[in-house]
Amino acid sequence: QVNVAIRSSLQSLRDKAEELRELLLRAVASRQITQLEGDRRQNLVDELLTRHKQLEASYRNEGPEPDMTRSSLMAGGVKRGVTNPWLLEESEETRGLGFDELRQQQRRIIEEQDAGLDALSSIISRQKQMGQEIGNELDEQNEIIDDLTNLVESTDDRLRNQTRHVKMVDKKSTSCG
């Protein structure tokens, strides 16, 4: 019974891996995913098929010794001195956590990011308001400067006129007397 279950599971694994490969090819062809993502996923499917072959060889008692095969199947990292760039090591924060715990951790991280974004939004709103107030103040001061410029020009014109009158009076007074 165990042998039948193992053979059945191995065949099911192979069938599902082939189905994944076909779905992946369709997704790339229909541009549902990018070519780069398709290549990454193809490497993962190839890795899965390689592990399937190793499991079959181990089941038939072929290949390296069983303990070595089991550990290499579960490790998913180094094979023949070559590391798989698509398999990432799990971080210390998530190691040993279950699906629900991971989801809770992701929610907490998202909530922290949302709080940070809200704070950033508040800061940007204050800076916008300050910028608008500075702009309004500059507009008012520009109007004051324009008024002051007009007053200075008017005063300068009157001063020149008065200077001309004084020169004329001085000239007349010297010519008369």
Side-chain angles (χ1 to χ4, degrees), residues 10-56:
L10 285 173
Q11 185 58 43
S12 175
L13 176 63
R14 173 116 179 115
D15 293 343
K16 288 182 181 184
E18 287 301 326
E19 183 181 341
L20 271 176
R21 182 189 305 253
E22 290 173 19
L23 289 171
L24 180 61
L25 290 174
R26 277 191 235 131
V28 170
S30 65
R31 298 190 186 263
Q32 290 175 333
I33 59 174
T34 64
Q35 184 64 42
L36 184 63
E37 179 65 12
D39 291 344
R40 185 186 76 79
R41 290 180 184 187
Q42 183 62 47
N43 285 339
L44 291 172
V45 170
D46 291 343
E47 181 73 25
L48 182 64
L49 288 171
T50 301
R51 288 182 182 184
H52 172 265
K53 288 179 185 176
Q54 289 173 343
L55 280 171
E56 280 186 332

Side-chain angles (χ1 to χ4, degrees):
Q1 263 184 342
V2 172
N3 283 336
V4 170
I6 290 173
R7 272 192 241 125
S8 172
S9 294
L10 285 173
Q11 185 58 43
S12 175
L13 176 63
R14 173 116 179 115
D15 293 343
K16 288 182 181 184
E18 287 301 326
E19 183 181 341
L20 271 176
R21 182 189 305 253
E22 290 173 19
L23 289 171
L24 180 61
L25 290 174
R26 277 191 235 131
V28 170
S30 65
R31 298 190 186 263
Q32 290 175 333
I33 59 174
T34 64
Q35 184 64 42
L36 184 63
E37 179 65 12
D39 291 344
R40 185 186 76 79
R41 290 180 184 187
Q42 183 62 47
N43 285 339
L44 291 172
V45 170
D46 291 343
E47 181 73 25
L48 182 64
L49 288 171
T50 301
R51 288 182 182 184
H52 172 265
K53 288 179 185 176
Q54 289 173 343
L55 280 171
E56 280 186 332
S58 176
Y59 175 71
R60 287 185 247 126
N61 290 327
E62 299 172 359
E65 69 183 76
D67 286 341
M68 185 83 155
T69 302
R70 282 189 200 116
S71 63
S72 68
L73 282 173
M74 298 305 157
V78 179
K79 289 186 183 173
R80 298 182 200 109
V82 178
T83 59
N84 185 342
W86 304 109
L87 295 176
L88 302 175
E89 294 225 6
E90 188 173 1
S91 68
E92 286 294 322
E93 320 177 308
T94 60
R95 190 167 290 140
L97 296 180
F99 182 73
D100 290 334
E101 293 165 323
L102 284 173
R103 184 172 282 183
Q104 286 176 342
Q105 184 180 22
Q106 285 177 338
R107 283 189 188 126
R108 184 182 47 80
I109 290 170
I110 289 171
E111 287 171 1
E112 289 172 4
Q113 289 174 344
D114 286 346
L117 289 174
D118 289 342
L120 183 61
S121 174
S122 173
I123 290 168
I124 290 172
S125 294
R126 278 195 312 246
Q127 287 182 340
K128 178 184 176 186
Q129 183 181 4
M130 287 172 54
Q132 288 172 339
E133 290 174 5
I134 289 170
N136 293 339
E137 182 69 26
L138 285 175
D139 289 342
E140 288 177 22
Q141 291 196 11
N142 280 337
E143 288 178 20
I144 292 171
I145 289 172
D146 288 344
D147 291 344
L148 194 63
T149 301
N150 291 336
L151 286 172
V152 168
E153 287 175 358
S154 172
T155 305
D156 188 45
D157 287 342
R158 282 188 296 177
L159 185 62
R160 285 176 198 223
N161 284 335
Q162 292 302 321
T163 304
R164 260 187 266 133
H165 280 9
V166 168
K167 284 184 183 179
M168 279 177 39
V169 168
D170 185 41
K171 195 175 190 181
K172 285 182 183 180
S173 76
T174 56
S175 69
C176 288

